[in-house]
């Protein structure tokens, strides 16, 4: 199993290089270094990436390569970057068919209502993702309500972090109502640690 996974990651890296060339992007060294890894940790709040944060174009190239190569990773940490709705929509398409990714951390990016709704739609049919962190993204009322509706049917999701997301009372009531039906999910508070 490891060998097959290793081959898929090597195929992913080759596909990633091809996608970057096609899109006129310089391949990121940190993505090329994923060989042998089961998680993608490209958080922008570390010293190495602080001045070279992941953009929508970077993340979309990576996700496109994941889809084309069949490679899958368990964890995806793209927190504290400059990704927005375009990447969130691409990730949503990926999650609709991927059944191995469990942890998705998109905290403190530029995702709005549109991206929040796309992620909610994908999570409604994805049975593998167990932890999602959208903290610090301005998904607003409609994005929050889409997530509340998703929570009514997705019982695999264990943790959904939505603090500082521009959610108001109406959406909080919707989320609370969903949690009355779905007792397997919790919404951690803003000061709780989010663990991988």
């Amino acid at each position: 199993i490891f060998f097959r996974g290793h081959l898929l990651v090597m195929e992913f890296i080759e596909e990633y290089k091809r996608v970057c060339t096609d899109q006129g992007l310089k391949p990121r060294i940190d993505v090329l270094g994923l060989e042998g890894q089961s998680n993608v940790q490209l958080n922008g709040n570390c010293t190495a990436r602080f001045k070279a944060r992941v953009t929508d174009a970077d993340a979309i190239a990576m996700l496109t390569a994941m889809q084309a190569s069949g490679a899958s990773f368990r964890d995806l940490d793209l927190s504290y970057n400059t990704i927005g709705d375009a990447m969130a929509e691409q990730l949503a398409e990926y999650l609709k068919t991927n059944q191995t990714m469990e942890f998705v951390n998109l905290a403190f990016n530029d995702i709005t209502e549109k991206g929040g709704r796309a992620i909610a739609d994908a999570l409604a049919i994805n049975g593998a993702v167990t932890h999602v962190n959208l903290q610090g993204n301005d998904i607003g009322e409609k994005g929050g309500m889409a997530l509340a509706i998703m929570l009514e049917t997705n019982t695999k999701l264990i943790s959904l972090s939505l603090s500082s997301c521009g959610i108001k009372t109406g959406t909080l009531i919707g989320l609370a109502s969903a949690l009355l039906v779905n007792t397997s999910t919790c919404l951690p508070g803003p000061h709780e640690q989010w663990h991988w």
Side-chain angles (χ1 to χ4, degrees):
I1 293 175
F2 173 76
F3 184 69
R4 171 79 176 128
H6 183 70
L7 284 177
L8 286 175
V9 172
M10 289 174 54
E11 289 173 20
F12 157 72
I13 291 171
E14 290 307 311
E15 184 65 22
Y16 173 70
K17 290 177 188 176
R18 188 196 64 71
V19 169
C20 286
T21 299
D22 290 351
Q23 296 180 4
L25 297 172
K26 180 180 178 186
R28 293 182 62 95
I29 299 296
D30 41 15
V31 175
L32 296 175
L34 291 174
E35 187 174 337
Q37 301 293 315
S38 64
N39 45 326
V40 177
Q41 190 161 0
L42 299 175
N43 53 305
N45 63 337
C46 69
T47 306
R49 277 180 293 282
F50 189 74
K51 293 183 180 180
R53 296 181 190 221
V54 177
T55 65
D56 268 346
D58 294 327
I60 289 170
M62 183 178 64
L63 286 167
T64 301
M66 282 182 191
Q67 286 175 305
S69 67
S72 57
F73 296 89
R74 186 177 154 261
D75 305 338
L76 177 65
D77 184 355
L78 293 172
S79 59
Y80 295 95
N81 282 294
T82 59
I83 57 177
D85 292 334
M87 181 278 176
E89 290 175 317
Q90 182 78 22
L91 176 62
E93 288 305 310
Y94 178 72
L95 291 176
K96 286 178 182 178
T97 58
N98 179 280
Q99 293 300 310
T100 57
M101 190 168 289
E102 297 175 20
F103 297 86
V104 178
N105 188 354
L106 302 174
F108 298 100
N109 276 290
D110 299 322
I111 299 169
T112 67
E113 170 191 313
K114 184 178 180 183
R117 284 194 329 251
I119 290 170
D121 290 347
L123 292 174
I125 58 177
N126 179 290
V129 175
T130 57
H131 296 76
V132 176
N133 187 350
L134 292 172
Q135 180 179 1
N137 287 287
D138 192 18
I139 63 167
E141 291 292 293
K142 291 181 181 174
M145 281 307 291
L147 289 161
I149 291 166
M150 173 276 302
L151 283 176
E152 292 175 1
T153 57
N154 183 328
T155 58
K156 298 295 182 185
L157 194 63
I158 296 169
S159 175
L160 176 63
S161 182
L162 296 173
S163 60
S164 302
C165 283
I167 293 173
K168 296 187 176 21
T169 306
T171 300
L172 292 174
I173 292 170
L175 288 163
S177 296
L179 293 175
L180 288 173
V181 176
N182 177 356
T183 57
S184 64
T185 303
C186 73
L187 300 175
H191 301 294
E192 294 180 51
Q193 284 287 356
W194 202 76
H195 299 286
W196 286 91

